[in-house]
């Protein structure tokens, strides 16, 4: 009272501030729920789009031997083969549901480019995407590509040599070291 501040006004201000904080928290919670709902709807849409595309590919596939595997000295294995001769490899999750697929041409050599410099002085070929992204961070000026697996490193290197004959080619193989097993990335 001496300062001219009414304690009842201060109590009302504290209550108004508490209500404002609760309102802001409720709005934040609502936005987060809407974001999660949108993310779930987007994921379901991607799943449905993939399922339709995979079903179309599956209709064009029949069990057979892959020229790609036979060319690697692995005849006698039966997989889904498309009418183009490409191997169709379904990828499943823990429940057994097909959630992705990879196609492999009879020649091998498909890759994913992480970046696209116009005239690269170096081409770095990594086995998997995580390795490709890691080496890209170390050498952002180099063309960095992902070969998907160790068996595809040489075919991708051959493609890169044709596309970039003057570039240095670096293989960034995984170091899959395990006791009593060959290290595929070093072979």
């Amino acid at each position: 009272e001496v300062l001219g501040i009414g304690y009842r006004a201060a109590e009302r201000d504290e209550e108004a501030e508490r209500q404002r904080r609760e309102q802001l928290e409720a709005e934040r919670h609502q936005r987060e729920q809407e974001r999660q709902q949108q993310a779930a709807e987007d994921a379901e849409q991607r799943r449905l789009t993939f399922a339709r595309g995979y079903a179309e590919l599956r209709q064009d596939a029949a069990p057979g031997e892959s020229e790609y595997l036979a060319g690697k000295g692995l005849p006698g294995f039966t997989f889904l083969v498309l009418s183009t001769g490409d191997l169709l490899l379904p990828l499943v999750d823990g429940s057994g549901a097909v959630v992705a697929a990879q196609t492999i041409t009879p020649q091998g050599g498909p890759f994913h480019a992480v970046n696209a410099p116009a005239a690269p002085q170096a081409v770095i070929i990594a086995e998997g995407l995580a390795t490709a992204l890691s080496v890209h961070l170390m050498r952002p000026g180099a063309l960095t590509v992902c070969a998907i697996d160790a068996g595809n490193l040489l075919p991708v290197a051959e493609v890169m040599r044709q596309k970039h004959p003057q570039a240095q080619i670096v293989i960034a193989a995984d170091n899959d070291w395990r006791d009593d097993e060959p290290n595929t990335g070093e072979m």
Side-chain angles (χ1 to χ4, degrees):
E1 293 175 7
V2 172
L3 297 174
I5 300 172
Y7 73 92
R8 295 201 194 290
E11 287 177 352
R12 284 192 304 269
D13 289 346
E14 288 175 12
E15 177 63 20
E17 180 62 24
R18 185 189 62 75
Q19 288 176 350
R20 189 179 72 74
R21 282 192 309 266
E22 287 176 357
Q23 178 64 29
L24 289 173
E25 179 60 24
E27 290 171 0
R28 186 198 63 76
H29 183 70
Q30 177 66 30
R31 284 191 309 272
E32 179 61 19
Q33 283 183 324
E34 289 170 358
R35 186 197 64 75
Q36 288 177 355
Q37 176 66 28
Q38 185 63 50
E41 290 171 6
D42 291 348
E44 179 62 12
Q45 184 60 45
R46 285 190 306 273
R47 187 192 69 73
L48 290 172
T49 300
F50 166 76
R52 281 190 299 273
Y54 179 73
E56 289 175 15
L57 279 176
R58 182 71 180 86
Q59 288 178 346
D60 186 41
E65 287 192 34
S66 161
E67 290 178 40
Y68 171 75
L69 293 175
K72 296 281 184 183
L74 297 166
F77 290 95
T78 301
F79 287 94
L80 293 174
V81 179
L82 297 169
S83 62
T84 59
D86 294 0
L87 177 68
L88 176 61
L89 193 62
L91 306 174
V92 299
D93 66 9
S95 72
V98 177
V99 294
Q102 179 181 0
T103 58
I104 302 172
T105 66
Q107 301 79 22
F111 60 89
H112 172 75
V114 171
N115 62 338
Q121 299 299 306
V123 176
I124 302 175
I125 305 167
E127 194 173 325
L129 181 59
T131 304
L133 292 171
S134 296
V135 297
H136 168 65
L137 292 173
M138 291 185 277
R139 299 267 313 265
L143 169 59
T144 306
V145 298
C146 169
I148 307 301
D149 66 56
N152 200 33
L153 289 169
L154 179 59
V156 171
E158 291 169 346
V159 169
M160 290 298 114
R161 175 55 65 218
Q162 289 174 349
K163 292 175 70 79
H164 306 286
Q166 301 304 314
Q168 174 193 28
I169 294 184
V170 177
I171 305 294
D174 291 355
N175 186 8
D176 298 324
W177 180 83
R178 291 185 192 95
D179 286 333
D180 302 322
E181 291 184 31
N183 187 339
T184 307
E186 289 186 351
M187 299 178 103

